[in-house]
Amino acid sequence: APTNLSLTATNVSITASFTKSSNNGGSAITGYQLTCTNTSSTLSSSATGTTSPITLGDLTGGATYSCAVQAQNAVGSSLSSAASSVTTLPAVAADAPTNLSLTATNVSITASFTASSNNGGSPITGYKLTCTNTSSTLSSAATGTTSPIKLSGLTGGATYSCAVQAQNAGGSSLSSAASSVTTLPATVPDEPTVLSYTTTTTQINFVFKAPSNNGGATITGYRLTCTPTSSKVSTSVTGTTSPITLGGLVAGATYTCYLQAQNSVGFSSSQAINSIHLLP
């Protein structure tokens, strides 16, 4: 059996140093096996290596383990070394992320940062970005596994103070140094895309696609406005989705129409669709 077993522990691993077997039993030693048993749960874990030291990972922080080493050759495993016990250290929070940098749109903030240099002895499972509206003191958060992290649904024109924390089995790290940024105010949306239109004697029906850019504020509806070339008196109708139908028009008349999207800022621009003829 190997001798002089000595153990050192982190919060999730044990490293065993030992003196190799002095007698190989007449067959070359092919390796050594370290076996550690949690003294509370009696669950065992093993790791192998060809020489000293051997490290066994994925253990439980704060638990006490009893460990021993065996030599292995073509015949089998040796007797175990004298057992030794050690207590793994409990996990602690990681160091705070650094070098926080923010960029903003009218409704979102994207945070870039340098990952924590010390994980506290436990793998970092993610990062949390928290931004606080400096006027209302309301906070919003988003998580991610790496840099950058994007936080959406913010208020256009507001100033936010943001920080990032790392998270592991030991909890949340201290916050990074805070940084502030002002989101851009919302604007009107892009105009919708008209896919097709049809007419009857008194109606115009528009089928359209919503704009991909809402201007940073939710689109609340759409407005279809049509003007006859003869009278120049416009008629409008609103709706929340496609299609939109404008009725009460003059049979046989020719119209110019405009379709606009609306959000809290106002109406989008619109390209004129000319020479729409109603049935006589």
Side-chain angles (χ1 to χ4, degrees):
T3 56
N4 301 321
L5 177 62
S6 174
L7 306 177
T8 57
T10 71
N11 56 337
V12 291
S13 69
I14 291 173
T15 297
S17 299
F18 52 90
T19 300
K20 298 179 184 179
S21 304
S22 56
N23 173 20
N24 67 8
S27 176
I29 292 175
T30 56
Y32 294 87
Q33 178 173 281
L34 168 66
T35 300
C36 295
T37 302
N38 185 318
T39 56
S40 298
S41 68
T42 70
L43 295 176
S44 296
S45 302
S46 297
T48 57
T50 57
T51 188
S52 173
I54 297 173
T55 297
L56 173 61
D58 295 325
L59 302 179
T60 302
T64 298
Y65 288 84
S66 177
C67 303
V69 178
Q70 294 172 285
Q72 298 172 319
N73 66 7
V75 177
S77 297
S78 73
L79 295 175
S80 296
S81 66
S84 183
S85 294
V86 69
T87 301
T88 60
L89 304 177
V92 297
D95 286 352
T98 56
N99 301 321
L100 177 62
S101 174
L102 306 177
T103 56
T105 70
N106 52 343
V107 290
S108 69
I109 291 173
T110 299
S112 299
F113 53 90
T114 300
S116 304
S117 56
N118 174 20
N119 68 4
S122 177
I124 292 174
T125 55
Y127 293 88
K128 181 179 182 181
L129 168 66
T130 302
C131 295
T132 302
N133 185 318
T134 56
S135 297
S136 67
T137 70
L138 294 176
S139 295
S140 301
T143 57
T145 57
T146 187
S147 172
I149 295 175
K150 184 178 181 179
L151 175 60
S152 299
L154 303 180
T155 301
T159 299
Y160 288 85
S161 178
C162 303
V164 178
Q165 293 171 287
Q167 298 173 317
N168 67 1
S172 297
S173 73
L174 295 176
S175 295
S176 66
S179 183
S180 294
V181 69
T182 300
T183 60
L184 303 177
T187 61
V188 297
D190 288 351
E191 62 185 79
T193 301
V194 176
L195 302 178
S196 64
Y197 64 85
T198 56
T199 63
T200 68
T201 55
T202 59
Q203 292 181 337
I204 297 175
N205 182 73
F206 268 64
V207 177
F208 60 91
K209 179 181 178 181
S212 57
N213 175 23
N214 66 5
T218 303
I219 292 175
T220 55
Y222 298 88
R223 182 174 69 184
L224 173 61
T225 302
C226 294
T227 306
T229 55
S230 57
S231 71
K232 306 300 183 183
V233 177
S234 298
T235 304
S236 297
V237 67
T238 59
T240 57
T241 187
S242 174
I244 290 179
T245 299
L246 177 60
L249 304 179
V250 178
T254 300
Y255 285 82
T256 297
C257 295
Y258 301 86
L259 181 65
Q260 297 170 286
Q262 182 182 22
N263 64 10
S264 59
V265 179
F267 287 96
S268 70
S269 60
S270 177
Q271 295 293 321
I273 300 178
N274 299 304
S275 303
I276 300 176
H277 303 287
L278 268 64
L279 298 178

